[in-house]
Amino acid sequence: MTGIDVALEGIEGPAGRMVEPLSFGIAPAASLALIGESGSGKTLTAKSLVGLLPPGFRAAGTLRVDGREHRLEQTDASWRAVRGREVSLLLQDPFTSLSPVHRCGPQIAWTLEAKAGRRLPARELEAEVARRLAEVNLPARVARAHPHELSGGMRQRVAIAAALASDPRLLIADEPTTALDASNQAEILDLLRELQHERGMAMLLISHDLGLVRGRTDEVLVMRHGEVVERGDTARVLSAPEHQYTKALIAADPALALDAAVPAEASGHSEASAAGASTDASDAPPLVRAAGVVKRFGERTVLGGVDLDIAAGEIVGIVGESGSGKSTLARCIAGLEREDGGTIAFDGAMLAPGRRSRTPGQMQIVFQDPYSSLNPMMTIGQILREALAVGGRAAAEVPGLLETVGLPADAAAKRPAQLSGGQRQRVAIARALAPRPRLLICDESVSALDVQVQAQILELLGWLREELGVAILFISHDLAVVRRIADTVTVVWQGRVVERGPCARVLDAPVEEYTKLLVAAAHRDRPPRHDHTHSHDHSTDGRTIPA
Amino acid sequence: MTETLPTARAPRLRPIGRMLAVRVLGTLAILFVLSIVVFSMLHLAPGDLVKTLLGTRPASPEAVAAIREQYHLDDPLPVQYLRWLGGVLTGDFGQSIRLQTSVADAIGSRLGLTLALCGLAFVAAIGTGIPLGVQSAVRAGGVLDRIGTALGVIGLSAPTFAVGLLLLYVFAYYLPIFPVYGGGRGPLDTLYHLILPAITLAAGLGAIVLKLTRTAMLRELDADYVTSARARGIPEGRVRRLALRNAAIPIVTGASLLLTFLVGGTVLAETTYALPGLGTLLQDSVLFKDLAVVQALTLLVSLVIAVIALLADLAYLLLDPRVRAKGGTA
């Protein structure tokens, strides 16, 4: 018999049972998606199949590859027969899954040699590495490059080439595109699909994103709290989910907002001028006006004269791929980078480059990764008191601040490690709000979060704008997320503004070629759904799921 | 795809060249400032300068006049400094009052022994610290790790002279395997005489290397690229080499700083084992207020430390392609 058969009898962790018994099969060239939020046990399940569970975790069960049986509880030495040859693992983050100090060629070559079980002649290796690179649509000279010289998409291609160099029968892809831009995501997934068919290789795709899975996998397994809550044909699960949890997952998917747009509504918007970011006719200057901002890093021009207006209480989205300059623009506005040219005015007054000319009450930043932006040694209370002191407010306001961002008062005594990712990002937002800023800069602030938590944080940001009147500069590579929250959107490409205007107009009826490409990539990534889920009110659904 | 690859390698070398030039110039500037400090030692030393320079000779007016003449003490200070600096640059550090030879000879005859001692100790420390650290990290929490940690604590906390005395007592007196003192004659005999002192010096050093290696390796073994390599079926030996190559960056930086620690350590080790090296020379010269020798040694030590720091920067460039790309500004 061919194909993959997994009969997992369970995974035990230091805190008890993490994954309940489950079983699945994948035919050659077929693919199965394992969906769930973080902590659902999907990654543990994947790692148990290559014997790489973290210390303290133990799996029991069998893995059958084309009839060859492997026990999951075997020791390290015997895993060598499985790893690479039978199963290979592709990790989420191409920025960390390749060794930074080695060139890409050798990293692929090691897998080749590991499979051969001996050293191979240099000439032979070089030719084979070039062939493997060509398979993932990369030129042979990439072999000479260090990972840091490549873009995220290229790195992930190198990682794929390295993972597949041992010609495994099963590829486990653990959130392989989460760290990538929308346009890269689709390319990588399609590439994987193609390679799978060429090789007759089975794939286990692990994701928290249901939209990503649509049209790309044959079957779906939805996991929650270590248990499979729903399984079946991908199209069936997505169009007619049975379990409450699956329904909630689908509803929380921001792609819904992207798809839900009615063309008629969009045409109404498109009457607004293309440069209508600040079409409000009032004489008052915008809260922030950046004009002709130029920034160079060495000889590379990252921003080539960018204009941006943010009105008070407005949510302005900036979209673009990584390297487009969108974060640099935000950092210039915040004073974290010094612009080389152009002007930035706040409330009509010019701001000199750098942090010294800005006050905490003007603007605050919420960063992408809530795991590294909070000091792990401080309690939440200490973090917030520090921020309050910066804004000249009393320490007694900590509970009120926590309440604003929807956290219980007893969170103040905890440290960041005791909170979930979503809760941490709430703390980061509370910290940013402490000096009562008039502008909140969110730099990919929801990108690292699960879809459901993402939905909740977006809801919180919208609420903060309504309640506190704070303006938000929202930077993201994810069009669907921006679509959901921003009033106007500015598309940035290679350090220049390509298109701007009301959110619905730009994203539904883009004028510029590049914007069309971005929107198309986002749609390809999340093919439109055509079913009853439209009627869902995501905000209420989002709330039924604990963060 | 819109991404571009760095094709030309030449432009990447330019920032490295610039960075090197900046570092070398900086090192020269530091040495210049140090030379002024070292020169002023003569004048800042407590007591009468002439008496110090006379040493044990009787302070007759003729002798005093001769000394003032010999050291040009009546010239303005800047002139004295420039004359002294000129001498230093041509290898003339003056006369040692205590040894009645030229300082260059006094140092030259002892330099070899100290270099051999430092070299041996460094090799011993690296040769034991890195493999032990790697093994401790690979089997963290295991028996070897616990032994390594215990050894590390002992090595770190035991003072050099105490370790020296203990080793002397055990391996030279109780079990007379090694000589008790002296530098030996001929290369082999010298090596034999240097074994115990080198071990003494290496104990503290090796402990730090072990700790550094263990910490760096633990972090690297936890990295995604290690998981990814293991999942691809790459043999464990190769995976460890891969992790060690990444861990080399903090290890080398740490180890190069340790070399400077060796310089201080040799004084203690040489004294304990009565070795005729630079350490004992420095100690004796300080006791005898043999200022010319002290000046020369101080300058030598600072030069060595400055060069080591420069080499450490270079090693960093060599080991980390990311720093290379940024021209060492990060």
Side-chain angles (χ1 to χ4, degrees):
Chain A
M1 65 154 291
T2 57
I4 310 296
D5 249 306
V6 173
L8 184 65
E9 288 154 24
I11 300 177
E12 304 284 338
R17 178 157 276 217
M18 304 302 290
V19 177
E20 299 297 325
L22 65 93
S23 62
F24 54 83
I26 314 174
S31 49
L32 172 79
L34 205 53
I35 301 290
E37 51 194 313
S38 53
S40 62
K42 59 186 197 304
T43 296
L44 283 179
T45 306
K47 290 201 164 161
S48 74
L49 299 181
V50 279
L52 288 172
L53 286 172
F57 288 82
R58 204 178 289 272
T62 55
L63 162 72
R64 219 186 284 268
V65 183
D66 294 342
R68 296 179 292 275
E69 188 176 302
H70 305 280
R71 289 297 297 173
L72 295 182
E73 50 272 66
Q74 62 189 333
T75 54
D76 246 20
S78 37
W79 272 110
R80 283 210 52 198
V82 180
R83 291 180 193 158
R85 279 157 229 229
E86 307 273 42
V87 186
S88 197
L89 181 66
L90 178 65
L91 292 172
Q92 169 178 358
D93 191 351
F95 292 84
T96 57
S97 63
L98 294 169
S99 165
V101 301
H102 292 94
R103 295 181 196 278
C104 293
Q107 308 208 36
I108 298 170
W110 297 331
T111 323
L112 293 170
E113 290 194 324
K115 197 212 171 196
R118 63 191 164 90
R119 294 202 151 249
L120 297 171
R123 193 172 294 265
E124 196 180 311
L125 266 184
E126 199 182 327
E128 188 60 18
V129 166
R131 194 178 75 77
R132 301 292 181 155
L133 283 171
E135 255 186 355
V136 293
N137 305 329
L138 286 177
R141 64 200 152 100
V142 167
R144 300 278 307 150
H146 282 105
H148 70 86
E149 294 166 314
L150 305 176
S151 70
M154 291 173 93
R155 283 190 226 195
Q156 194 61 307
R157 283 163 196 272
V158 173
I160 290 172
L164 294 188
S166 53
D167 301 311
R169 300 301 303 143
L170 169 67
L171 177 70
I172 303 175
D174 189 357
E175 307 258 11
T177 62
T178 311
L180 301 178
D181 298 330
S183 56
N184 275 322
Q185 280 185 349
E187 275 177 21
I188 292 288
L189 286 173
D190 293 340
L191 173 67
L192 282 174
R193 193 81 172 141
E194 213 175 283
L195 290 168
Q196 238 194 307
H197 284 300
E198 279 169 19
R199 298 154 170 262
M201 175 182 73
M203 180 164 80
L204 179 63
L205 178 68
I206 292 166
S207 180
H208 64 264
D209 192 345
L210 264 173
L212 211 64
V213 158
R214 189 190 317 244
R216 293 210 174 84
T217 63
D218 306 299
E219 257 193 287
V220 176
L221 235 68
V222 181
M223 283 187 81
R224 189 187 190 192
H225 302 324
E227 263 182 287
V228 174
V229 295
E230 182 157 2
R231 64 194 307 166
D233 187 65
T234 305
R236 199 279 298 157
V237 171
L238 289 175
S239 58
E242 282 162 7
H243 195 274
Q244 203 51 45
Y245 178 70
T246 316
K247 288 180 188 167
L249 263 183
I250 290 174
D253 194 330
L256 188 66
L258 200 63
D259 301 329
V262 187
E265 186 189 339
S267 67
H269 277 300
S270 62
E271 283 162 21
S273 70
S278 57
T279 40
D280 42 348
S282 64
D283 309 328
L287 184 65
V288 172
R289 167 160 281 171
V293 175
V294 175
K295 174 72 192 172
R296 291 182 206 91
F297 288 121
E299 282 148 34
R300 205 162 59 89
T301 303
V302 183
L303 290 177
V306 173
D307 302 332
L308 184 75
D309 282 1
I310 306 170
E314 186 186 29
I315 299 186
V316 175
I318 300 187
V319 296
E321 299 177 81
S322 59
S324 60
K326 56 190 193 305
S327 281
T328 309
L329 176 61
R331 293 175 68 85
C332 284
I333 292 175
L336 296 175
E337 298 283 358
R338 298 170 147 268
E339 64 270 20
D340 297 317
T343 57
I344 295 173
F346 190 91
D347 225 359
M350 287 297 175
L351 294 177
R355 248 172 1 145
R356 217 171 280 173
S357 58
R358 285 146 175 87
T359 61
Q362 287 175 334
M363 57 194 97
Q364 290 289 323
I365 288 204
V366 179
F367 293 98
Q368 170 173 5
D369 184 5
Y371 291 82
S372 59
S373 67
L374 300 176
N375 185 339
M377 304 306 285
M378 288 166 80
T379 65
I380 306 307
Q382 284 168 332
I383 289 170
L384 295 183
R385 276 196 292 279
E386 187 184 66
L388 283 168
V390 165
R393 293 169 68 187
E397 295 187 53
V398 167
L401 209 50
L402 285 171
E403 199 194 325
T404 311
V405 296
L407 285 174
D410 62 3
K414 292 184 177 162
R415 284 179 209 280
Q418 292 164 281
L419 301 179
S420 71
Q423 288 171 324
R424 283 184 226 203
Q425 200 58 298
R426 283 173 194 267
V427 173
I429 293 172
R431 177 176 62 181
L433 290 175
R436 294 193 207 278
R438 299 184 52 203
L439 171 67
L440 198 60
I441 299 173
C442 295
D443 190 358
E444 299 278 4
S445 301
V446 298
S447 308
L449 304 173
D450 289 347
V451 194
Q452 297 196 332
V453 183
Q454 208 175 56
Q456 293 164 6
I457 297 289
L458 289 177
E459 198 188 319
L460 169 67
L461 289 175
W463 181 83
L464 288 174
R465 187 261 293 264
E466 298 301 324
E467 290 299 309
L468 309 178
V470 59
I472 296 175
L473 178 60
F474 190 89
I475 295 151
S476 180
H477 66 266
D478 192 337
L479 296 187
V481 167
V482 171
R483 172 79 164 82
R484 194 158 168 181
I485 186 166
D487 304 321
T488 71
V489 62
T490 300
V491 182
V492 182
W493 182 54
Q494 294 188 346
R496 295 188 179 277
V497 173
V498 176
E499 185 165 3
R500 73 168 104 229
C503 199
R505 203 279 297 155
V506 172
L507 296 184
D508 297 335
V511 175
E512 296 299 323
E513 238 7 86
Y514 178 71
T515 318
K516 285 180 187 165
L517 248 155
L518 268 187
V519 172
H523 274 284
R524 192 161 26 131
D525 205 31
R526 308 160 186 273
R529 45 169 77 90
H530 30 262
D531 50 57
H532 59 280
T533 50
H534 279 200
S535 54
H536 272 278
D537 175 358
H538 9 278
S539 57
T540 46
D541 266 330
R543 225 179 253 141
T544 59
I545 308 298
Chain B
M1 275 190 308
T2 53
E3 299 104 326
T4 49
L5 261 182
T7 41
R9 296 179 58 75
R12 271 200 293 159
L13 294 175
R14 214 178 307 141
I16 297 177
R18 198 181 309 148
M19 179 229 144
L20 261 185
V22 168
R23 287 297 160 94
V24 170
L25 285 177
T27 307
L28 286 179
I30 289 173
L31 287 176
F32 171 69
V33 173
L34 268 168
S35 73
I36 295 177
V37 173
V38 167
F39 169 74
S40 354
M41 277 166 61
L42 196 67
H43 295 271
L44 295 173
D48 183 33
L49 178 61
V50 177
K51 265 196 192 132
T52 308
L53 289 175
L54 270 173
T56 49
R57 280 170 286 176
S60 65
E62 298 81 54
V64 170
I67 285 287
R68 295 199 80 87
E69 173 65 31
Q70 186 191 343
Y71 286 89
H72 307 281
L73 293 181
D74 297 321
D75 288 349
L77 271 182
V79 176
Q80 287 187 39
Y81 167 71
L82 285 178
R83 186 175 286 124
W84 175 79
L85 188 66
V88 166
L89 290 178
T90 53
D92 175 17
F93 292 89
Q95 287 284 316
S96 161
I97 312 156
R98 189 173 63 92
L99 301 169
Q100 296 301 326
T101 59
S102 80
V103 172
D105 283 348
I107 290 180
S109 64
R110 290 151 177 264
L111 187 63
L113 188 85
T114 300
L115 279 184
L117 176 60
C118 287
L120 264 182
F122 193 66
V123 168
I126 296 288
T128 54
I130 289 183
L132 263 178
V134 169
Q135 286 304 320
S136 299
V138 167
R139 288 182 235 294
V143 180
L144 195 81
D145 185 25
R146 270 179 245 171
I147 294 174
T149 307
L151 282 178
V153 170
I154 294 172
L156 269 180
S157 45
T160 306
F161 63 87
V163 176
L165 284 177
L166 187 73
L167 287 178
L168 261 183
Y169 182 74
V170 176
F171 292 106
Y173 174 74
Y174 191 68
L175 298 168
I177 307 171
F178 290 105
V180 180
Y181 67 92
R185 283 164 203 280
L188 271 181
D189 193 39
T190 306
L191 190 67
Y192 178 52
H193 275 80
L194 285 182
I195 288 178
L196 275 192
I199 293 176
T200 308
L201 256 184
L205 210 59
I208 301 176
V209 172
L210 190 156
K211 286 271 169 204
L212 267 174
T213 308
R214 182 179 182 271
T215 314
M217 272 301 274
L218 271 181
R219 205 186 52 212
E220 297 302 332
L221 285 173
D222 211 28
D224 273 359
Y225 67 83
V226 167
T227 309
S228 158
R230 283 182 174 150
R232 265 141 60 199
I234 291 173
E236 197 55 25
R238 168 90 79 178
V239 171
R240 270 175 222 170
R241 278 205 305 266
L242 162 66
L244 185 61
R245 173 66 183 74
N246 275 279
I249 298 164
I251 296 175
V252 166
T253 320
S256 57
L257 292 176
L258 290 179
L259 270 175
T260 59
F261 163 89
L262 265 180
V263 175
T266 45
V267 177
L268 292 170
E270 285 177 19
T271 311
T272 311
Y273 291 92
L275 290 174
L278 291 182
T280 37
L281 178 66
L282 179 64
Q283 190 201 13
D284 292 343
S285 304
V286 169
L287 282 178
F288 274 84
K289 288 196 182 172
D290 195 349
L291 275 172
V293 179
V294 176
Q295 278 180 318
L297 281 176
T298 312
L299 215 52
L300 184 68
V301 167
S302 9
L303 180 71
V304 167
I305 291 179
V307 169
I308 290 174
L310 190 64
L311 288 180
D313 280 344
L314 279 183
Y316 207 74
L317 275 183
L318 217 63
L319 287 171
D320 196 338
R322 288 160 295 183
V323 179
R324 228 174 317 171
K326 287 180 196 156
T329 47

